[in-house]
């Protein structure tokens, strides 16, 4: 058997950006340059963690605790057709800004997501053919051991997406007669204004609030300066630097004792050595939004 390289579409990736960040306007943050473009390209982010020196955290902790948004997530059971009905469709999709993700795995189950008015359907072959919607193949074509899957994207904010229009009524028919099984959704309203009464209340949502927290850590910090004697293409030196820095950050996020200044682990049990020749013991603050709200939904 030949060992063909598997696809990398769904494999985790690490994007590295370094440099001096200039002044940022909170009212008009950049969206096209890195690292902001890479961050905005992610549709669903479960958790964001900031690792800050203690002295920097003391400067900004008031802003983090008072101005940091505390999103309220809801777990709700809805059919696809319910998204296109009444005030839910008009207020949340046409005028508002909501984020929705159904339960399941995109490479196995029928999974739906809604972001910025675009409804994306990840369907198996049978559901796709029965629904009669226009889509494109999803995943690696011709890969052995996998069933063909399809993805359909529907721009619900388009002017043509109105009841009575032929194309829209075709979508409604598919949702009511083929993709009619109610599914569990994770729902969050990103709109600046609160809608009263909320169109989601008749569906009895279970709400959870993601509250950010901070954790103090005492760690050994290696030199975080990137190598300077490299070519413009960033060769192996920069790659080694990026991998070693990511490994150290991973241990920080895990709260590993291997980076503690007082760690005395036997080298036979752990061979990890911090990168670089210069180490500095300092206090860090790990600031993150709790993922408990999402974990509760997944466990339910």
């Amino acid at each position: 058997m030949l060992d063909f390289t598997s696809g990398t579409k769904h494999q985790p990736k690490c994007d590295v950006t370094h440099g001096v960040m200039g002044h940022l306007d909170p009212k008009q943050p950049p969206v096209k340059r890195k690292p902001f473009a890479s961050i905005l390209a992610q549709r669903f982010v479960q958790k964001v963690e900031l690792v800050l020196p203690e002295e920097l955290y003391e400067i900004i902790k008031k802003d983090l605790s008072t101005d940091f948004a505390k999103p309220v997530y809801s777990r709700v059971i809805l059919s696809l057709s319910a998204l296109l009905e009444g005030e839910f469709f008009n207020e949340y999709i046409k005028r508002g800004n909501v984020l929705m993700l159904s339960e399941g795995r995109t490479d196995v189950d029928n999974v739906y997501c809604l972001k910025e008015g675009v409804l994306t359907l990840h369907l198996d072959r049978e559901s796709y053919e029965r629904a009669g919607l226009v889509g494109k193949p999803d995943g690696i074509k011709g890969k052995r051991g996998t069933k063909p899957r399809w993805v359909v994207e529907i721009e619900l904010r388009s002017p043509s997406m109105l009841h009575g229009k032929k194309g829209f009524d075709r979508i409604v028919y598919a949702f009511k007669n083929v993709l009619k099984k109610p599914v569990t959704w994770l729902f969050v309203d990103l709109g600046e204004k609160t809608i009263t009464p909320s169109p989601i209340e008749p569906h009895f949502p279970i709400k959870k609030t993601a509250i950010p927290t901070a954790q103090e850590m005492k760690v050994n910090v290696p030199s975080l300066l990137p190598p300077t004697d490299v070519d413009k293409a960033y060769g192996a030196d920069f790659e080694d630097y990026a991998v070693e820095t990511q490994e150290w950050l991973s241990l920080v996020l895990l709260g590993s004792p291997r980076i503690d200044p007082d760690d005395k682990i036997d080298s036979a049990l752990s061979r990890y050595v911090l990168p670089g020749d210069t180490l500095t013991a300092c206090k860090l603050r790990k600031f993150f939004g709790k993922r408990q709200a999402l974990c509760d939904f997944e466990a339910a």
Side-chain angles (χ1 to χ4, degrees), residues 13-197:
K13 297 180 177 62
C14 177
D15 295 325
V16 180
T17 301
H18 74 91
V20 179
M21 184 177 296
H23 173 72
L24 299 179
D25 185 357
K27 297 182 179 179
Q28 293 182 332
V31 296
K32 294 184 178 180
R33 71 172 187 262
K34 294 182 178 181
F36 308 100
S38 300
I39 296 173
L40 293 174
Q42 307 302 315
R43 292 193 300 174
F44 297 96
V45 179
Q46 191 178 46
K47 182 173 63 172
V48 175
E49 295 180 282
L50 301 177
V51 179
L52 308 171
E54 180 72 16
E55 55 271 18
L56 178 58
Y57 174 76
E58 291 297 328
I59 296 175
I60 65 174
K61 69 177 182 179
K62 182 179 179 181
D63 295 332
L64 290 175
S65 59
T66 58
D67 298 339
F68 193 85
K70 300 177 179 61
V72 178
Y73 294 88
S74 299
R75 179 176 180 266
V76 62
I77 299 176
L78 288 172
S79 62
L80 279 173
S81 60
L83 274 61
L84 308 182
E85 297 175 352
E87 293 301 310
F88 195 102
F89 180 64
N90 294 328
E91 296 294 339
Y92 280 148
I93 298 178
K94 283 292 189 180
R95 303 190 189 98
N97 183 20
V98 299
L99 194 65
M100 298 181 66
L101 176 66
S102 72
E103 62 180 345
R105 295 177 295 172
T106 56
D107 57 342
V108 177
D109 308 306
N110 286 349
V111 177
Y112 322 124
C113 61
L114 176 68
K115 181 182 180 182
E116 296 180 351
V118 179
L119 179 62
T120 305
L121 315 176
H122 297 271
L123 306 173
D124 56 40
R125 182 173 182 175
E126 180 183 358
S127 300
Y128 174 75
E129 292 179 347
R130 291 181 57 216
L133 302 175
V134 179
K136 57 184 179 181
D138 187 24
I140 304 172
K141 185 177 181 180
K143 183 179 179 181
R144 298 184 63 180
T146 60
K147 296 182 179 180
R149 297 187 59 80
W150 298 79
V151 59
V152 179
E153 292 186 350
I154 305 172
E155 175 55 79
L156 294 178
R157 290 180 182 170
S158 172
S160 62
M161 291 295 158
L162 295 173
H163 289 279
K165 298 286 187 178
K166 184 177 180 180
F168 187 77
D169 289 343
R170 183 179 181 181
I171 296 172
V172 174
Y173 178 86
F175 288 177
K176 288 186 175 181
N177 295 276
V178 180
L179 306 174
K180 57 184 179 180
K181 181 181 178 181
V183 295
T184 303
W185 296 82
L186 179 65
F187 171 95
V188 59
D189 186 0
L190 302 177
E192 297 180 356
K193 298 181 179 180
T194 303
I195 303 174
T196 306

